[in-house]
Every structure is written in C-alpha cells, then in structure tokens.
Amino acid sequence: MADIFREVEEDVRRDRALAFWKKYGNVLIALALLAVAGTAAWRGWVYWQTKQSEAAGARYEQAIEDSKAGRSEEADKELQALASGGARGYEQLSRLRLAAELGKSDLQAALKAYDGIVADTGFPTLMRDIARLRAGMLVADIAPLAELKTRLDPLLAPGSALGANARELLGLAALKAGDYEAAGKWLDEIITDQAAPASLRQRADLLLAIVRAGPVKPAS
C-alpha cells in the first residue's frame, strides 16, 4: 500500500513540475541565458580593465625613466596623457608626478597643480595629504612661517600619517626664521610621537639640540 501512495505522490510532483515548466520554462531559459551573458560580460570587462591597467603602468614607468634620464619633454607628454585619460589609479599618480616635475621649473604652476589635487575629493586622503606636504616643501624657504603653517595645518590632526613630516618641515622653517621657541615646540612633538618613524625622531632630536643651544652669537 505504501508503494502505491509513493507512486501517486511522485506522479503528482511530476505533473506539477511539468505544469510549472510549461508556464515558466521560457522565462527560466531567458534568465539562465542572461546570467551566462552577464558573467561573460563581467569577465570580459575585468580582463579589459586589467589590460588597461597594465598598459598604463608600463607607460607610467617609462615616463619615470624618461624623467630620471633628463628627457623631461617626453616624460611630461606621457604623464599629461595618462593624467587626462589613463586608468584611474595611474591618472592620479600622473597628476601627482606632473606637479613634482613642474616644481623643477615653475613654482607657481606646481603649487597650482598640488592645490588642485588637494581640492579633488576623488583622490584618496593620503595622496591629497602628500600633495599638501609637497606644496609646503616648495614654499618652505620663501613663504612666511604663518603661511606655511596654514598650508600644513590639516596634516597636524591626530592620526595623520604625515603629521610628523609636517612638524619637521615647520620646525626647520621656524629654525631658519630664528623662531627657536616654535622650532622647539614642533621638534619636541615629533620626539614624543611614538607613531613617528624612528629615523625622523632621531633627526628631530639632533635639531632640538641645536635649538637648545640657542642662536649663534657673533664673535666679539
């Protein structure tokens, strides 16, 4: 008797499955085809992106080599091309490198390029901070200490990856300006910052010794 009930139950399930297939079979086939097409398109897109990134990487490396070899015109041309339409990561790197290249010959153009990166929220925070620090390095010898601090102030926030670097630059600028009190403050903050690189803390300690010695007195 149990076998009969089992056979009837299987027949009922078969009939239901057939009815379901007749009603939704075409839809299921269409969905399956879409899934296959979507997977193929995604893999194709990933492959294309990878190739684009590899090509952009090779072009970027060549531009760096041209720059090191003194072929500035070739380097600038390639970097400008990448900055205006390369893979996203290399587009950003190229803009940062272009600003550095400009810094060799055109201070104002370089500052404008760095400030443009700082203002571009599409850049990662660290890259924007690097641009801010490099701009500060360009004007450290010529800008008033107050102006330099304004530029670097966002890097002094707790947890900033480049905070110690910014303090070192401010300390050097203050020392050059003869403001020993300010120089001591910035350098002391580096030494007490356990997150600062050891090499940077050692440099700050050496500079702090100069600060503590005070201004060199003219010979009588």
Side-chain angles (χ1 to χ4, degrees):
M1 185 67 70
D3 291 339
I4 295 175
F5 283 116
R6 189 178 302 109
E7 290 178 7
V8 170
E9 185 177 351
E10 288 177 354
D11 288 341
V12 170
R13 283 202 298 267
R14 189 180 304 110
D15 291 340
R16 287 178 178 175
L18 287 171
F20 182 85
W21 179 256
K22 288 178 181 179
K23 187 174 182 180
Y24 299 108
N26 291 335
V27 175
L28 292 174
I29 291 172
L31 290 173
L33 290 173
L34 282 173
V36 171
T39 300
W42 169 254
R43 288 181 177 175
W45 184 82
V46 170
Y47 176 80
W48 180 82
Q49 285 285 90
T50 300
K51 289 297 181 182
Q52 290 290 102
S53 181
E54 289 174 353
R59 291 170 62 192
Y60 181 79
E61 290 296 329
Q62 184 58 54
I64 299 303
E65 289 300 319
D66 287 340
S67 176
K68 290 179 179 178
R71 297 187 293 271
S72 298
E73 186 175 345
E74 291 88 340
D76 288 352
K77 183 178 179 181
E78 192 64 78
L79 289 170
Q80 286 171 2
L82 286 169
S84 62
R88 183 59 176 167
Y90 286 104
E91 177 185 339
Q92 295 174 339
L93 282 174
S94 297
R95 282 183 61 186
L96 196 60
R97 183 70 190 196
L98 268 174
E101 292 294 318
L102 285 170
K104 298 175 183 179
S105 58
D106 191 334
L107 175 63
Q108 293 306 317
L111 289 176
K112 183 177 180 181
Y114 280 131
D115 289 343
I117 293 170
V118 170
D120 189 342
T121 56
F123 274 74
T125 299
L126 181 58
M127 291 186 73
R128 294 167 67 195
D129 286 348
I130 290 172
R132 194 186 302 275
L133 181 66
R134 288 187 175 178
M137 292 171 69
L138 284 179
V139 300
D141 286 338
I142 57 176
L145 187 57
E147 180 183 329
L148 181 62
K149 185 179 183 303
T150 298
R151 278 191 169 276
L152 298 178
D153 196 58
L155 301 180
L156 304 178
S160 172
L162 299 177
N165 301 83
R167 288 179 174 85
E168 181 181 39
L169 190 56
L170 285 166
L172 286 168
L175 187 59
K176 184 177 179 180
D179 189 342
Y180 282 71
E181 183 177 353
K185 172 182 176 295
W186 297 123
L187 295 170
D188 190 59
E189 287 184 6
I190 295 172
I191 294 171
T192 57
D193 182 3
Q194 297 302 314
S199 59
L200 204 159
R201 292 167 64 192
Q202 289 172 358
R203 289 200 304 271
D205 192 42
L206 290 173
L207 290 170
L208 193 58
I210 297 174
V211 171
R212 287 168 177 161
V216 177
K217 297 179 181 179
S220 56

